[in-house]
CSV table of all heavy atoms in Angstrom, one decimal:
chain,number,residue,atom,x,y,z
X,19,ARG,N,-34.9,31.8,15.0
X,19,ARG,CA,-35.7,30.7,14.5
X,19,ARG,C,-35.5,30.5,13.0
X,19,ARG,O,-35.5,29.4,12.5
X,19,ARG,CB,-37.2,30.9,14.9
X,19,ARG,CG,-37.5,30.6,16.3
X,19,ARG,CD,-39.0,30.6,16.6
X,19,ARG,NE,-39.6,31.9,16.5
X,19,ARG,CZ,-39.5,32.8,17.5
X,19,ARG,NH1,-38.8,32.6,18.6
X,19,ARG,NH2,-40.0,34.0,17.3
X,20,GLN,N,-35.4,31.7,12.3
X,20,GLN,CA,-35.2,31.6,10.9
X,20,GLN,C,-33.9,30.9,10.6
X,20,GLN,O,-33.8,30.2,9.6
X,20,GLN,CB,-35.2,33.1,10.3
X,20,GLN,CG,-35.0,33.2,8.9
X,20,GLN,CD,-36.2,32.9,8.1
X,20,GLN,OE1,-37.3,33.1,8.6
X,20,GLN,NE2,-36.1,32.6,6.8
X,21,ALA,N,-32.8,31.2,11.4
X,21,ALA,CA,-31.5,30.7,11.1
X,21,ALA,C,-31.5,29.2,11.3
X,21,ALA,O,-30.6,28.5,10.7
X,21,ALA,CB,-30.5,31.3,12.0
X,22,VAL,N,-32.3,28.6,12.2
X,22,VAL,CA,-32.3,27.2,12.4
X,22,VAL,C,-33.4,26.4,11.7
X,22,VAL,O,-33.5,25.2,11.8
X,22,VAL,CB,-32.4,26.9,14.0
X,22,VAL,CG1,-31.2,27.5,14.7
X,22,VAL,CG2,-33.7,27.3,14.5
X,23,ARG,N,-34.3,27.1,11.0
X,23,ARG,CA,-35.4,26.5,10.3
X,23,ARG,C,-34.8,25.4,9.3
X,23,ARG,O,-33.9,25.7,8.6
X,23,ARG,CB,-36.2,27.5,9.5
X,23,ARG,CG,-37.4,27.0,8.8
X,23,ARG,CD,-38.3,28.0,8.3
X,23,ARG,NE,-39.0,28.6,9.5
X,23,ARG,CZ,-39.1,29.9,9.7
X,23,ARG,NH1,-38.6,30.8,8.8
X,23,ARG,NH2,-39.8,30.3,10.8
X,24,GLY,N,-35.4,24.3,9.4
X,24,GLY,CA,-35.0,23.2,8.5
X,24,GLY,C,-33.9,22.4,9.0
X,24,GLY,O,-33.6,21.3,8.4
X,25,ILE,N,-33.2,22.7,10.0
X,25,ILE,CA,-32.0,22.0,10.5
X,25,ILE,C,-32.6,20.9,11.5
X,25,ILE,O,-33.2,21.3,12.5
X,25,ILE,CB,-31.0,22.9,11.2
X,25,ILE,CG1,-30.5,23.9,10.3
X,25,ILE,CG2,-29.9,22.0,11.8
X,25,ILE,CD1,-29.5,24.9,10.9
X,26,THR,N,-32.4,19.6,11.2
X,26,THR,CA,-33.0,18.6,12.0
X,26,THR,C,-32.0,18.1,13.1
X,26,THR,O,-32.5,17.5,14.1
X,26,THR,CB,-33.4,17.4,11.1
X,26,THR,OG1,-32.3,17.0,10.3
X,26,THR,CG2,-34.6,17.9,10.2
X,27,ASP,N,-30.7,18.2,12.9
X,27,ASP,CA,-29.8,17.7,13.9
X,27,ASP,C,-29.7,18.7,15.0
X,27,ASP,O,-29.4,19.9,14.8
X,27,ASP,CB,-28.4,17.6,13.2
X,27,ASP,CG,-27.3,17.2,14.3
X,27,ASP,OD1,-27.5,16.2,15.0
X,27,ASP,OD2,-26.3,18.0,14.4
X,28,PRO,N,-30.0,18.3,16.3
X,28,PRO,CA,-30.1,19.3,17.4
X,28,PRO,C,-28.8,20.0,17.6
X,28,PRO,O,-28.8,21.2,17.9
X,28,PRO,CB,-30.4,18.4,18.6
X,28,PRO,CG,-31.1,17.2,18.0
X,28,PRO,CD,-30.5,17.0,16.7
X,29,ALA,N,-27.6,19.4,17.5
X,29,ALA,CA,-26.3,20.0,17.7
X,29,ALA,C,-26.1,21.1,16.6
X,29,ALA,O,-25.6,22.2,16.9
X,29,ALA,CB,-25.2,19.0,17.8
X,30,ALA,N,-26.4,20.7,15.4
X,30,ALA,CA,-26.2,21.7,14.3
X,30,ALA,C,-27.2,22.9,14.4
X,30,ALA,O,-26.8,24.0,14.2
X,30,ALA,CB,-26.5,21.0,12.9
X,31,ALA,N,-28.4,22.6,14.9
X,31,ALA,CA,-29.4,23.7,15.1
X,31,ALA,C,-28.9,24.6,16.3
X,31,ALA,O,-29.0,25.8,16.1
X,31,ALA,CB,-30.7,23.1,15.5
X,32,LEU,N,-28.3,24.0,17.3
X,32,LEU,CA,-27.8,24.8,18.4
X,32,LEU,C,-26.6,25.7,17.9
X,32,LEU,O,-26.6,26.9,18.1
X,32,LEU,CB,-27.3,23.9,19.5
X,32,LEU,CG,-26.6,24.7,20.7
X,32,LEU,CD1,-27.6,25.6,21.4
X,32,LEU,CD2,-26.1,23.7,21.7
X,33,ARG,N,-25.7,25.1,17.1
X,33,ARG,CA,-24.6,25.9,16.6
X,33,ARG,C,-25.2,27.0,15.7
X,33,ARG,O,-24.7,28.2,15.8
X,33,ARG,CB,-23.7,25.0,15.7
X,33,ARG,CG,-22.7,24.3,16.6
X,33,ARG,CD,-21.6,23.6,15.8
X,33,ARG,NE,-22.1,22.6,14.9
X,33,ARG,CZ,-22.3,21.3,15.2
X,33,ARG,NH1,-22.1,20.9,16.5
X,33,ARG,NH2,-22.8,20.5,14.3
X,34,ALA,N,-26.1,26.7,14.8
X,34,ALA,CA,-26.6,27.8,13.9
X,34,ALA,C,-27.3,28.9,14.7
X,34,ALA,O,-27.2,30.1,14.4
X,34,ALA,CB,-27.6,27.1,12.9
X,35,GLY,N,-28.1,28.5,15.7
X,35,GLY,CA,-28.7,29.5,16.5
X,35,GLY,C,-27.7,30.4,17.3
X,35,GLY,O,-27.9,31.6,17.3
X,36,VAL,N,-26.7,29.8,17.8
X,36,VAL,CA,-25.7,30.5,18.6
X,36,VAL,C,-24.9,31.5,17.6
X,36,VAL,O,-24.7,32.6,17.9
X,36,VAL,CB,-24.7,29.6,19.3
X,36,VAL,CG1,-23.5,30.4,19.8
X,36,VAL,CG2,-25.4,28.9,20.5
X,37,LEU,N,-24.6,31.0,16.5
X,37,LEU,CA,-23.9,31.8,15.5
X,37,LEU,C,-24.8,33.0,15.0
X,37,LEU,O,-24.3,34.1,14.8
X,37,LEU,CB,-23.3,31.0,14.3
X,37,LEU,CG,-22.2,30.0,14.8
X,37,LEU,CD1,-21.8,29.1,13.6
X,37,LEU,CD2,-21.0,30.7,15.4
X,38,ALA,N,-26.0,32.7,14.9
X,38,ALA,CA,-27.0,33.8,14.5
X,38,ALA,C,-27.0,34.8,15.6
X,38,ALA,O,-27.0,36.1,15.3
X,38,ALA,CB,-28.4,33.2,14.3
X,39,TRP,N,-27.0,34.4,16.8
X,39,TRP,CA,-27.0,35.4,18.0
X,39,TRP,C,-25.7,36.2,18.0
X,39,TRP,O,-25.7,37.4,18.2
X,39,TRP,CB,-27.2,34.7,19.3
X,39,TRP,CG,-26.9,35.5,20.5
X,39,TRP,CD1,-26.0,35.3,21.5
X,39,TRP,CD2,-27.5,36.8,20.8
X,39,TRP,NE1,-25.9,36.3,22.3
X,39,TRP,CE2,-26.8,37.3,22.0
X,39,TRP,CE3,-28.4,37.6,20.2
X,39,TRP,CZ2,-27.2,38.5,22.6
X,39,TRP,CZ3,-28.7,38.8,20.8
X,39,TRP,CH2,-28.1,39.3,22.0
X,40,ILE,N,-24.6,35.5,17.7
X,40,ILE,CA,-23.3,36.2,17.6
X,40,ILE,C,-23.4,37.3,16.6
X,40,ILE,O,-22.9,38.5,16.8
X,40,ILE,CB,-22.1,35.3,17.3
X,40,ILE,CG1,-21.9,34.2,18.4
X,40,ILE,CG2,-20.8,36.0,17.0
X,40,ILE,CD1,-21.5,34.8,19.7
X,41,SER,N,-23.9,37.0,15.4
X,41,SER,CA,-24.0,38.0,14.4
X,41,SER,C,-25.0,39.1,14.8
X,41,SER,O,-24.7,40.3,14.6
X,41,SER,CB,-24.5,37.4,13.1
X,41,SER,OG,-23.6,36.5,12.6
X,42,LEU,N,-26.1,38.8,15.4
X,42,LEU,CA,-27.1,39.8,15.8
X,42,LEU,C,-26.6,40.7,16.9
X,42,LEU,O,-26.9,41.9,16.9
X,42,LEU,CB,-28.4,39.1,16.3
X,42,LEU,CG,-29.2,38.4,15.2
X,42,LEU,CD1,-30.3,37.5,15.9
X,42,LEU,CD2,-29.8,39.4,14.3
X,43,ALA,N,-25.7,40.1,17.8
X,43,ALA,CA,-25.2,40.9,18.9
X,43,ALA,C,-24.2,42.0,18.4
X,43,ALA,O,-23.9,42.9,19.1
X,43,ALA,CB,-24.6,40.0,19.9
X,44,GLY,N,-23.8,41.9,17.2
X,44,GLY,CA,-23.0,43.0,16.6
X,44,GLY,C,-23.8,44.2,16.3
X,44,GLY,O,-23.2,45.3,16.0
X,45,ASP,N,-25.1,44.1,16.3
X,45,ASP,CA,-25.9,45.3,16.0
X,45,ASP,C,-25.9,46.2,17.2
X,45,ASP,O,-26.3,45.8,18.3
X,45,ASP,CB,-27.4,44.8,15.7
X,45,ASP,CG,-28.3,45.9,15.4
X,45,ASP,OD1,-28.2,47.0,15.9
X,45,ASP,OD2,-29.3,45.6,14.7
X,46,PRO,N,-25.5,47.5,17.0
X,46,PRO,CA,-25.5,48.4,18.1
X,46,PRO,C,-26.8,48.6,18.9
X,46,PRO,O,-26.8,48.8,20.1
X,46,PRO,CB,-25.1,49.7,17.5
X,46,PRO,CG,-24.5,49.4,16.2
X,46,PRO,CD,-25.1,48.1,15.8
């Protein structure tokens, strides 16, 4: 939610959220 805060375009918000998850999933 923090990664997508302030993004108004739904596609851009989806991309930002997915990329945030990709980064988080690197955490063991």
Side-chain angles (χ1 to χ4, degrees):
R19 281 189 295 280
Q20 180 83 20
V22 302
R23 185 168 286 131
I25 300 174
T26 57
D27 174 54
L32 176 61
R33 277 191 297 277
V36 168
L37 294 176
W39 167 238
I40 295 293
S41 292
L42 290 168
D45 181 330

